[in-house]
Amino acid sequence: MRIFLDTANIEEIKKASELGIISGVTTNPSLIAKEGRNFEEIVREITTLVDGPISAEVISTEAGEMVREAEKLAAIHPNITIKIPMLPEGLKAVRTLREKGIKTNVTLIFSANQALLAALAGATYASFFLGRLDDVGHEGVEEVAAAVQIFAQYGLETEIIAASIRHPLHVTQVARLGVDIATVPYQVLMQMFRHPLTDAGIQKFLADWERVKDK
Ligand code: E4P
């Protein structure tokens, strides 16, 4: 499983990228709004920091307009992947963009059926928002499991991105299911490093070393 960083914050991307464990970045209009800066400028900057797929989202809801926006964004850098909302018009745009050789990431997927439709339209990625499903009392992980099983059964090429990840347990759960990618907020990535026994172990090693280092 690969890990993408789910943020539009340049400092977070720089820090995570230095760790050498992230393979891509996902953004969305809300993450861009949090930064309060020009969208294209942020995307351009991300392409200089990460050598992997970088998702940038269109804001139109009509296929022709989405394709126009997508072409403009895709021209920024070959690593740009176009995030398209899960709508009938969105899937029309996905088909057209596929024919043009532009990669897509269908976003706001909440059911296995939606993921299946995105795959049939030829999406490169299908982004499952599991945390938001949990928020409304559904088992997000179970819905992702259904999609993983369907994709494997039919050999569908679209890669599943587990998105809307809220905590490290989500990452473990989707990794066990065999999702292709988990896109995680910076804070969750940092939480994944931590274990109290690791901290205690380091302290003990350092304290023991102090006792013998000058012998
Ligand atoms: C995915 O690509 C989205 O940017 C993101 O995971 C949404 O997560 P949220 O539910 O925390 O906003």
Side-chain angles (χ1 to χ4, degrees):
M1 187 184 77
R2 278 122 65 212
I3 292 182
F4 288 0
L5 200 66
D6 195 26
T7 186
N9 182 279
I10 297 298
E11 282 315 304
E12 289 182 349
I13 294 168
K14 274 187 193 157
K15 284 191 272 178
S17 169
E18 281 166 7
L19 297 170
I21 49 182
I22 63 159
S23 314
V25 173
T26 52
T27 68
N28 66 39
S30 304
L31 293 171
I32 298 282
K34 256 167 75 177
E35 301 308 308
R37 289 177 51 204
N38 176 268
F39 174 35
E40 284 188 29
E41 193 183 289
I42 294 178
V43 171
R44 222 173 272 282
E45 208 170 332
I46 299 174
T47 63
T48 67
L49 300 170
V50 176
D51 185 18
I54 294 153
S55 288
E57 189 159 341
V58 299
I59 43 115
S60 316
T61 51
E62 186 275 320
E65 266 307 306
M66 287 187 204
V67 171
R68 273 186 286 282
E69 270 188 69
E71 285 179 313
K72 200 166 158 225
L73 289 168
I76 294 176
H77 193 279
N79 282 347
I80 301 292
T81 298
I82 308 302
K83 244 181 169 183
I84 303 272
M86 177 63 214
L87 294 168
E89 284 293 305
L91 295 195
K92 271 198 238 170
V94 166
R95 172 64 56 197
T96 307
L97 292 169
R98 186 181 178 84
E99 283 157 12
K100 289 174 181 280
I102 296 176
K103 292 190 173 150
T104 53
N105 173 0
V106 176
T107 187
L108 291 166
I109 288 182
F110 294 94
S111 73
N113 277 347
Q114 289 179 319
L116 176 60
L117 293 177
L120 295 177
T124 317
Y125 305 103
S127 282
F128 234 105
F129 278 39
L130 69 107
R132 292 194 196 183
L133 274 171
D134 289 0
D135 292 345
V136 295
H138 289 268
E139 282 277 6
V141 171
E142 279 180 20
E143 204 58 38
V144 179
V148 169
Q149 194 232 321
I150 292 166
F151 279 38
Q153 186 162 299
Y154 294 104
L156 299 174
E157 282 174 17
T158 302
E159 292 196 291
I160 296 179
I161 302 183
S164 187
I165 296 267
R166 297 283 159 78
H167 46 70
L169 181 59
H170 270 156
V171 182
T172 312
Q173 288 171 317
V174 297
R176 291 184 71 172
L177 294 178
V179 300
D180 302 285
I181 297 145
T183 188
V184 303
Y186 181 75
Q187 190 210 340
V188 174
L189 183 69
M190 289 301 110
Q191 285 174 317
M192 287 170 68
F193 275 92
R194 302 299 301 272
H195 195 289
L197 292 177
T198 305
D199 297 343
I202 289 171
Q203 274 183 9
K204 172 96 173 71
F205 285 154
L206 293 179
D208 288 347
W209 184 250
E210 278 301 310
R211 298 209 317 264
V212 292
K213 70 172 190 212
D214 298 323
K215 299 232 155 117

